[in-house]
Short mmCIF file of all heavy atoms in Angstrom, two decimals:
data_model
loop_
_atom_site.label_atom_id
_atom_site.label_comp_id
_atom_site.label_asym_id
_atom_site.label_seq_id
_atom_site.Cartn_x
_atom_site.Cartn_y
_atom_site.Cartn_z
N ARG C 1251 87.39 127.27 120.27
CA ARG C 1251 87.96 127.92 119.09
C ARG C 1251 89.48 127.80 119.06
O ARG C 1251 90.08 127.38 118.07
CB ARG C 1251 87.56 129.38 119.09
CG ARG C 1251 87.82 130.11 117.80
CD ARG C 1251 87.18 131.47 117.88
NE ARG C 1251 87.84 132.30 118.88
CZ ARG C 1251 88.78 133.18 118.59
NH1 ARG C 1251 89.15 133.36 117.37
NH2 ARG C 1251 89.36 133.88 119.55
N MET C 1252 90.10 128.15 120.17
CA MET C 1252 91.56 128.10 120.21
C MET C 1252 92.06 126.66 120.15
O MET C 1252 93.09 126.38 119.56
CB MET C 1252 92.09 128.79 121.48
CG MET C 1252 92.04 130.29 121.42
SD MET C 1252 92.49 130.97 119.82
CE MET C 1252 94.27 130.88 119.87
N PHE C 1253 91.29 125.74 120.72
CA PHE C 1253 91.66 124.33 120.66
C PHE C 1253 91.75 123.87 119.19
O PHE C 1253 92.72 123.26 118.77
CB PHE C 1253 90.63 123.50 121.43
CG PHE C 1253 90.82 122.01 121.27
CD1 PHE C 1253 91.87 121.37 121.92
CD2 PHE C 1253 89.99 121.27 120.46
CE1 PHE C 1253 92.06 120.00 121.77
CE2 PHE C 1253 90.17 119.91 120.30
CZ PHE C 1253 91.21 119.28 120.96
N PHE C 1254 90.73 124.23 118.42
CA PHE C 1254 90.72 123.81 117.02
C PHE C 1254 91.84 124.51 116.25
O PHE C 1254 92.46 123.92 115.37
CB PHE C 1254 89.36 124.11 116.38
CG PHE C 1254 88.31 123.13 116.81
CD1 PHE C 1254 87.26 123.53 117.62
CD2 PHE C 1254 88.40 121.81 116.40
CE1 PHE C 1254 86.31 122.63 118.02
CE2 PHE C 1254 87.44 120.89 116.80
CZ PHE C 1254 86.40 121.30 117.62
N PHE C 1255 92.06 125.77 116.61
CA PHE C 1255 93.14 126.49 115.93
C PHE C 1255 94.47 125.78 116.15
O PHE C 1255 95.21 125.53 115.20
CB PHE C 1255 93.21 127.93 116.45
CG PHE C 1255 94.42 128.65 115.96
CD1 PHE C 1255 94.55 128.99 114.62
CD2 PHE C 1255 95.44 129.00 116.82
CE1 PHE C 1255 95.66 129.64 114.15
CE2 PHE C 1255 96.56 129.65 116.36
CZ PHE C 1255 96.68 129.97 115.03
N TRP C 1256 94.73 125.40 117.39
CA TRP C 1256 96.00 124.72 117.68
C TRP C 1256 96.06 123.35 117.04
O TRP C 1256 97.11 122.89 116.59
CB TRP C 1256 96.23 124.64 119.19
CG TRP C 1256 96.69 125.97 119.70
CD1 TRP C 1256 95.99 126.85 120.46
CD2 TRP C 1256 97.95 126.58 119.42
NE1 TRP C 1256 96.72 127.98 120.67
CE2 TRP C 1256 97.95 127.85 120.05
CE3 TRP C 1256 99.09 126.21 118.71
CZ2 TRP C 1256 99.02 128.73 119.98
CZ3 TRP C 1256 100.15 127.08 118.65
CH2 TRP C 1256 100.11 128.32 119.27
N LEU C 1257 94.88 122.70 116.99
CA LEU C 1257 94.83 121.39 116.34
C LEU C 1257 95.28 121.52 114.88
O LEU C 1257 96.09 120.73 114.38
CB LEU C 1257 93.40 120.87 116.40
CG LEU C 1257 93.22 119.37 116.55
CD1 LEU C 1257 93.91 118.88 117.80
CD2 LEU C 1257 91.74 119.04 116.59
N ILE C 1258 94.76 122.53 114.20
CA ILE C 1258 95.15 122.75 112.81
C ILE C 1258 96.64 123.10 112.74
O ILE C 1258 97.38 122.58 111.91
CB ILE C 1258 94.31 123.89 112.19
CG1 ILE C 1258 92.86 123.45 112.07
CG2 ILE C 1258 94.86 124.27 110.82
CD1 ILE C 1258 91.92 124.56 111.65
N PHE C 1259 97.05 123.94 113.66
CA PHE C 1259 98.44 124.38 113.67
C PHE C 1259 99.39 123.19 113.83
O PHE C 1259 100.41 123.09 113.15
CB PHE C 1259 98.63 125.36 114.84
CG PHE C 1259 99.87 126.17 114.73
CD1 PHE C 1259 99.91 127.30 113.91
CD2 PHE C 1259 101.00 125.84 115.44
CE1 PHE C 1259 101.06 128.05 113.80
CE2 PHE C 1259 102.16 126.59 115.34
CZ PHE C 1259 102.19 127.69 114.51
N ILE C 1260 98.99 122.26 114.70
CA ILE C 1260 99.87 121.12 114.99
C ILE C 1260 100.03 120.22 113.76
O ILE C 1260 101.09 119.61 113.57
CB ILE C 1260 99.31 120.35 116.21
CG1 ILE C 1260 99.69 121.11 117.48
CG2 ILE C 1260 99.87 118.94 116.27
CD1 ILE C 1260 99.01 120.59 118.71
N THR C 1261 99.01 120.19 112.89
CA THR C 1261 99.14 119.33 111.70
C THR C 1261 100.27 119.79 110.79
O THR C 1261 100.67 119.06 109.90
CB THR C 1261 97.83 119.29 110.89
OG1 THR C 1261 97.54 120.62 110.45
CG2 THR C 1261 96.69 118.75 111.68
N LEU C 1262 100.76 120.99 111.00
CA LEU C 1262 101.94 121.43 110.25
C LEU C 1262 103.10 120.46 110.47
O LEU C 1262 103.97 120.30 109.62
CB LEU C 1262 102.38 122.82 110.73
CG LEU C 1262 101.78 124.04 110.06
CD1 LEU C 1262 102.35 125.28 110.69
CD2 LEU C 1262 102.06 124.03 108.58
N MET C 1263 103.10 119.85 111.65
CA MET C 1263 104.19 118.94 111.98
C MET C 1263 103.95 117.55 111.42
O MET C 1263 104.75 116.66 111.61
CB MET C 1263 104.35 118.85 113.50
CG MET C 1263 104.94 120.10 114.09
SD MET C 1263 104.95 119.93 115.85
CE MET C 1263 103.93 121.28 116.32
N LEU C 1264 102.81 117.34 110.78
CA LEU C 1264 102.47 116.01 110.27
C LEU C 1264 102.24 116.05 108.75
O LEU C 1264 101.11 115.91 108.30
CB LEU C 1264 101.21 115.49 110.96
CG LEU C 1264 101.29 115.32 112.47
CD1 LEU C 1264 99.92 115.04 113.04
CD2 LEU C 1264 102.26 114.20 112.83
N PRO C 1265 103.27 116.26 107.95
CA PRO C 1265 103.07 116.23 106.50
C PRO C 1265 102.80 114.80 106.04
O PRO C 1265 102.92 113.85 106.82
CB PRO C 1265 104.40 116.74 105.96
CG PRO C 1265 105.38 116.44 107.02
CD PRO C 1265 104.65 116.53 108.31
N VAL C 1266 102.44 114.67 104.79
CA VAL C 1266 102.04 113.36 104.24
C VAL C 1266 103.08 112.28 104.56
O VAL C 1266 102.74 111.17 104.95
CB VAL C 1266 101.85 113.47 102.71
CG1 VAL C 1266 101.52 112.11 102.12
CG2 VAL C 1266 100.75 114.45 102.40
N GLU C 1267 104.34 112.62 104.42
CA GLU C 1267 105.40 111.63 104.59
C GLU C 1267 105.37 111.01 105.99
O GLU C 1267 105.68 109.84 106.17
CB GLU C 1267 106.78 112.26 104.34
CG GLU C 1267 107.03 112.65 102.90
CD GLU C 1267 106.30 113.93 102.49
OE1 GLU C 1267 105.73 114.60 103.37
OE2 GLU C 1267 106.28 114.25 101.29
#
Side-chain angles (χ1 to χ4, degrees):
Chain C
R1251 192 171 67 97
M1252 284 320 281
F1253 172 74
F1254 284 111
F1255 171 68
W1256 283 108
L1257 214 58
I1258 293 172
F1259 197 81
I1260 282 170
T1261 61
L1262 271 180
M1263 288 175 241
L1264 299 170
V1266 176
E1267 291 76 9

